Amino acid sequence: MSNELKKTLGLGTALSTVIGLVIGSGVFFKPQAIYTITNGAPGLGIIAWILGGFITIMAGLTAAEVSAAIPRTGGMMVYIEEIYGKKLGFLTGWMQTVLFFPGTTAALAVIFAQQCAELFGYTATNMTIVLPIALGVIILLALLNNIGSSFGGAIQNIATIGKLVPLILIIIFGFIKGKSGGSTFTPIVGQGVSASTALGHVLIATLFAYDGWINVGAIAGEMKNPGKDLPTAIVGGLSAVMAVYIIINLAYLRVASASELALVTSPATLVATRLFGDVGGKIITIGILISVFGTLNGYLLTGPRIPYTLAKQKIIPGSDALSKVNAGGSPTNATWLVAILACIYALSGQFNLLTDLTVFMVWVFYVLTFIGVMKLRKDNPNLDRPYKVPLYPIIPLVAIIGGLFVIVNQLLTATVIALGGIIITLIGLPVYNYMSKKNDN
């Protein structure tokens, strides 16, 4: 049996993976956190959706250069290893393996389970209902993705189409039936809230909603034409997502006020129920569940490629098992590793806590990637670059500055969460040192 991943994925799957990884839960659920932070004021929330999208597109334009220049399975971990060396590359992969992918998968499973519970008349806080559903959907998708990478890609394509239905319906009917002249930009923040302090918090929320774009690089080794298709998928997908996010949030505010959206777990469901009635609202909720399901699948499609790559290099415990590929072309044991860790994180039942933790930590490595694009141009000017970031170095610098703002703000205002992510990541250092010595013997 071959342990090499097959080149079976094309632009369609890559593009749907970007959109599928990004449009999932954030656009439907994060308005609640955003308008809670602004104390029921809409202005800063809309600004954050615009600013978060701008920063993300700058990030995508920047990272696409190194993604295309180093189109190997492993994504960001491989880029950072190439630029900064094996130890930092391993630490990137370790963070993604033990924190980012399983933590985000767990957060998505929790919000999926909460919406299922509410759909059937239970409360989102009923853990006896929520936790079994959350664990069950993780295990189900791990089983489906182990059928093969092409099968996982097919799920992604179907779910991406499915998730567009509630978005389109809410946008169209929100503008047709919603109130005209509703407040969308004023006030900027509510009483007692500092705009400068709140901006960092709402950006964390919107950046979670925009996150996932770089992870399509993790399947570069399975793409037929990564040099051409990868940048197209990242930049094209993000531009479409940003437009959708801004428009749908304006539609939300035509149907419900920001203060109302702050009080409900699923603002999109509230809006849908007002537009289409109870039955219509439930139908839209099912569409939202399909959306989250697709995003969950995207993370369990791409995430296991990270421990698989580490295992191929023999630098993670259990490398012999984690490097195995099944008959369908999927890294089966690596998939179960991510799924089991996700189940453990899901036991917390905390959507916002998990997303804040993963967004902070992954942006530390995003910024290293952006800096790495500039370093790689200096250190290896003759490297074949099928795509170059436009307006160099302005766009990379904008991406770096935006990322540093998010990191520093989270360190100052959510110190415990930030330190938790740093500690989990740094545990990877003794693991790397142990495995390196073991391989040298």
Side-chain angles (χ1 to χ4, degrees):
M1 184 184 300
S2 172
N3 273 349
E4 296 300 320
L5 295 169
K6 301 172 184 177
K7 291 184 178 291
T8 58
L9 306 180
L11 176 59
T13 298
L15 188 61
S16 67
T17 300
V18 173
I19 296 173
L21 285 167
V22 176
I23 300 179
S25 63
V27 68
F28 300 118
F29 303 111
K30 278 300 181 180
Q32 186 264 344
I34 290 168
Y35 296 127
T36 298
I37 293 165
T38 65
N39 198 15
L44 190 64
I46 294 298
I47 291 170
W49 286 110
I50 296 169
L51 188 57
F54 176 73
I55 291 172
T56 303
I57 288 176
M58 296 300 102
L61 286 167
T62 302
E65 177 172 313
V66 70
S67 295
I70 312 172
R72 301 188 348 243
T73 292
M76 183 168 60
M77 173 189 69
V78 173
Y79 316 150
I80 288 181
E81 178 185 329
E82 183 80 19
I83 298 165
Y84 299 103
K86 288 186 177 297
K87 182 175 287 190
L88 197 52
F90 171 82
L91 209 59
T92 308
W94 173 264
M95 179 276 297
Q96 292 177 303
T97 297
V98 302
L99 178 59
F100 178 74
F101 278 107
T104 305
T105 299
L108 293 168
V110 166
I111 203 69
F112 178 90
Q114 288 176 349
Q115 287 305 291
C116 283
E118 292 188 350
L119 186 65
F120 292 103
Y122 298 95
T123 65
T125 56
N126 189 336
M127 289 297 108
T128 59
I129 300 296
V130 169
L131 287 182
I133 296 174
L135 300 180
V137 73
I138 292 169
I139 293 168
L140 172 64
L141 279 169
L143 287 169
L144 291 176
N145 272 285
N146 269 316
I147 293 174
S149 59
S150 294
F151 186 83
I155 296 174
Q156 199 62 40
N157 292 336
I158 294 168
T160 298
I161 295 169
K163 76 177 54 184
L164 295 178
V165 173
L167 287 169
I168 292 169
L169 289 175
I170 290 174
I171 287 170
I172 292 173
F173 287 93
F175 279 97
I176 291 174
K177 299 176 67 174
K179 61 183 181 293
S180 59
S183 177
T184 54
F185 287 100
T186 57
I188 297 296
V189 291
Q191 188 174 1
V193 176
S194 165
S196 58
T197 301
L199 179 59
H201 290 291
V202 293
L203 267 180
I204 282 285
T206 59
L207 287 174
F208 168 76
Y210 282 109
D211 197 43
W213 51 273
I214 201 170
N215 299 316
V216 73
I219 58 172
E222 295 161 83
M223 292 176 67
K224 299 170 186 174
N225 190 359
K228 177 183 176 183
D229 291 347
L230 196 56
T232 303
I234 292 173
V235 178
L238 281 177
S239 299
V241 168
M242 180 181 176
V244 168
Y245 279 8
I246 294 169
I247 293 168
I248 197 170
N249 274 277
L250 293 174
Y252 287 160
L253 292 170
R254 288 179 66 89
V255 178
S257 67
S259 57
E260 290 175 308
L261 296 174
L263 297 176
V264 291
T265 305
S266 176
T269 299
L270 169 66
V271 170
T273 301
R274 289 191 178 176
L275 290 173
F276 309 112
D278 289 339
V279 175
K282 288 184 182 298
I283 292 172
I284 295 298
T285 298
I286 292 170
I288 293 170
L289 286 170
I290 292 172
S291 174
V292 179
F293 187 86
T295 306
L296 264 166
N297 177 72
Y299 276 89
L300 280 172
L301 171 66
T302 58
R305 274 67 184 171
I306 305 302
Y308 166 83
T309 302
L310 292 174
K312 291 285 284 184
Q313 298 173 0
K314 303 289 185 184
I315 54 173
I316 190 172
S319 290
D320 289 343
L322 293 173
S323 62
K324 291 186 181 300
V325 176
N326 65 16
S330 293
T332 180
N333 292 328
T335 298
W336 283 115
L337 172 65
V338 173
I340 291 167
L341 289 173
C343 287
I344 294 170
Y345 281 116
L347 293 175
S348 69
Q350 299 294 315
F351 172 68
N352 285 316
L353 174 67
L354 290 170
T355 57
D356 288 351
L357 179 66
T358 58
V359 168
F360 166 77
M361 210 60 236
V362 80
W363 268 87
V364 172
F365 289 90
Y366 284 170
V367 170
L368 285 174
T369 303
F370 307 151
I371 295 170
V373 170
M374 303 176 78
K375 185 176 187 298
L376 197 61
R377 283 210 184 187
K378 179 181 178 182
D379 295 347
N380 195 347
N382 297 321
L383 179 69
D384 179 37
R385 291 173 172 83
Y387 161 88
K388 288 187 176 181
V389 58
L391 300 178
Y392 182 89
I394 296 172
I395 287 177
L397 287 173
V398 171
I400 291 166
I401 292 168
L404 286 175
F405 174 80
V406 171
I407 293 166
V408 172
N409 183 272
Q410 191 78 340
L411 275 169
L412 295 176
T413 60
T415 307
V416 174
I417 293 174
L419 289 178
I422 291 170
I423 290 169
I424 292 171
T425 301
L426 290 180
I427 290 172
L429 287 177
V431 173
Y432 176 81
N433 291 333
Y434 169 77
M435 291 303 297
S436 296
K437 290 179 182 178
K438 182 180 178 181
N439 291 334
D440 288 341
N441 293 335

